[in-house]
Structures are given as C-alpha cells and as structure tokens.
Amino acid sequence: MNKAQFIAYLAPQFGDSKKEAARAVDVVFDAIVRNISKGDDVMINDFGKFKKVDRPARKGRNPFTGETIQIKASKKVRFLPAKALKEIIAGARKLEAAPKPPVKVVPKVVVKVVAKPVAKKAPAKKAAPAKKAPAKKAAPAKKAPAKKAAPAKKAAPAKKVVKK
C-alpha cells in the first residue's frame, strides 16, 4: 500500500474527503519524523516503536573486488514492532473489526409555506357610453412585393476523428 492508497482507504472515515484524509496522514507522518529527528522515540501502543539508532563506523568489503573499505558512522531509524502486532502477523491473535465510517446525518429541511394576503379588488368604475364614430371606407390593401429567399449556405463538413 502506498501513500495514495492509504489516503483512499482512510477517506470514508473523513466523510469521503480525500483532502482531509491526506492532511491527517501528513500530520501524523510529520509528527513521527520531527520527533525521531530530535532523538525522541515514538511509541504507538499495539503497533510499535520508531527509534533513532547511531551506527558506528566499521570496516566492510567491496563485493566486486573483495577490497576492504571503511564505512562511515551513520544514523538510522529502527522500527520495533509491538507484541500485539507480532501476534496478529503470526496468526496467534485475531484482528479486530475495522472501525466503521461515521454515519452521515443529513439535516432535515423544513419548508414553511406562507400564504400571501389576497389583495381586494376595487369596485369597477362605470364608463360613460361610447359614441359611435362614423364608419370610414377601408382602402384596398396593397400587397408588398415578395422578397427573394437568400441562397442557403453550405454546411461545413464534419471533422473526422482518427483513432490510433
């Protein structure tokens, strides 16, 4: 399992947010690295202990030539698994059920319907009787000259997609 797979595995625990899961993973790893670099041991119960170890200078051999060489002193990180982890790996102890992701609680949306007050109509005013205008003779309607239709434009040919 690499870091991206680890984050994807943890995302359901953070409400399916890979961003929050990635931040949590980064914070945990950063805390471990900072404390080990200071020289402090990091002990996680039922998992193991991360410890900074000083390796002294020593003599070694070049495997190609067989020549003796001097290896410089260095500092390394050592992981010592806890008893519980060893037992689970060996099969002597059963692994507990994985924690279930939290249930998403969707807030209920309450829609309140407010009736608008009905506006009262004002009583209609009586209009004065209209006088009839003398009828005019309608002039014969003139026909407008017919417009010529513009020639239709040709559609551009569709681009062909070539799959490789």
Side-chain angles (χ1 to χ4, degrees):
M1 176 181 281
N2 62 25
K3 186 176 177 182
Q5 292 167 333
F6 187 52
I7 290 168
Y9 179 80
L10 292 178
Q13 300 294 331
F14 290 92
D16 290 330
S17 173
K18 285 188 177 182
K19 189 175 183 180
E20 288 182 29
R23 177 154 165 67
V25 168
D26 289 339
V27 168
V28 169
F29 289 162
D30 182 62
I32 292 170
V33 170
R34 287 181 188 276
N35 284 296
I36 292 173
S37 66
K38 286 192 302 186
D40 296 339
D41 294 345
V42 177
M43 175 64 183
I44 301 171
N45 291 338
D46 293 337
F47 184 68
K49 183 178 187 178
F50 295 94
K51 185 177 183 178
K52 183 177 180 180
V53 179
D54 293 328
R55 296 184 71 183
R58 62 193 190 280
K59 290 184 180 181
R61 270 189 22 181
N62 183 337
F64 293 110
T65 62
E67 180 184 350
T68 303
I69 57 172
Q70 186 67 28
I71 301 172
K72 297 188 288 184
S74 62
K75 297 176 193 244
K76 303 288 181 188
V77 176
R78 180 173 290 155
F79 176 72
L80 302 169
K83 182 180 177 186
L85 181 60
K86 287 180 189 178
E87 290 173 352
I88 290 169
I89 300 301
R93 183 176 175 182
K94 289 189 177 184
L95 188 60
E96 297 172 7
K100 294 181 181 178
V103 178
K104 292 182 184 178
V105 178
V106 180
K108 291 182 180 179
V109 179
V110 178
V111 179
K112 190 173 183 181
V113 179
V114 179
K116 293 183 180 180
V118 179
K120 292 183 180 179
K121 292 183 180 180
K125 293 181 181 178
K126 291 184 180 179
K131 293 182 182 177
K132 290 185 180 179
K136 293 183 179 179
K137 289 185 180 179
K142 293 183 181 178
K143 290 186 178 180
K147 293 184 180 179
K148 292 183 180 178
K153 292 183 180 179
K154 291 184 180 179
K159 293 183 180 180
K160 294 182 180 179
V161 178
V162 179
K163 292 185 179 179
K164 292 185 179 180

